[in-house]
């Protein structure tokens, strides 16, 4: 395999891209009116795509709101991201909570309804 990345479907790729850029510090690696690839300076090889939901390359049968997927981002400080999410009026599902497996986690929706798990280690990684 040469490459793998996740694409989320969006009704407004510019708005969704700005959401991820502001919330997680991602930057645009590729930018068009229907497809954006985001990367992050701290994660070599990371690519995260935002694809216009109604673009011709997206089959009509899969253009509906996302379901059955949670995209996880591990960050240094979950509470800092939570503050950014609140400031951006993001739809928070669960505020930061200490989990029994050694992480602090919050859940929220991106602008198009994709569920995001934002987690930060609270215990040393074994």
């Amino acid at each position: 395999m040469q490459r793998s990345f996740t694409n989320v479907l969006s009704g407004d790729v510019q708005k969704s891209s700005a959401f991820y850029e502001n919330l997680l510090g991602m930057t645009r690696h590729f930018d068009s009116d229907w497809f954006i690839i985001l990367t992050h300076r701290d994660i070599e090889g990371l690519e995260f795509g935002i694809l216009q939901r109604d673009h011709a390359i997206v089959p009509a049968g899969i253009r509906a709101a996302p379901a059955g997927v949670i995209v996880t981002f591990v960050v240094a400080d979950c509470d800092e991201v939570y503050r950014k999410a609140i400031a951006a009026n993001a739809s928070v599902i669960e505020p930061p909570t200490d989990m029994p497996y050694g992480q602090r986690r919050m859940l929220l929706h991106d602008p198009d309804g994709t569920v995001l798990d934002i987690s930060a280690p609270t215990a040393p990684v074994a």
Side-chain angles (χ1 to χ4, degrees):
M1 179 169 36
Q2 295 180 351
R3 186 176 174 208
S4 175
F5 61 95
T6 299
N7 291 318
V8 293
L9 300 179
S10 175
D12 183 337
V13 296
Q14 298 299 324
K15 178 180 177 181
S16 289
S17 180
F19 173 83
Y20 287 97
E21 291 171 87
N22 294 329
L23 191 70
L24 298 169
M26 300 175 101
T27 57
R28 294 179 191 212
H29 174 74
F30 176 82
D31 194 347
S32 75
D33 62 342
W34 62 274
F35 182 54
I36 294 171
I37 295 178
L38 299 173
T39 59
H40 195 282
R41 70 184 174 282
D42 296 336
I43 306 173
E44 185 177 337
L46 172 74
E47 293 180 287
F48 188 75
I50 302 171
L51 180 57
Q52 186 68 37
R53 174 182 313 285
D54 60 0
H55 192 272
I57 70 162
V58 178
I62 65 168
R63 293 179 180 178
V69 66
I70 298 174
V71 179
T72 300
F73 294 97
V74 179
V75 300
D77 186 342
C78 181
D79 293 290
E80 177 185 342
V81 176
Y82 177 69
R83 287 187 290 276
K84 289 180 182 180
I86 293 300
N89 294 316
S91 172
V92 175
I93 301 166
E94 292 180 5
T97 304
D98 290 331
M99 305 305 287
Y101 48 83
Q103 289 193 337
R104 186 158 175 81
R105 178 191 83 173
M106 68 175 280
L107 297 174
L108 70 152
H109 291 282
D110 80 357
D112 293 286
T114 300
V115 176
L116 306 180
D117 166 351
I118 308 297
S119 293
T122 57
V125 178

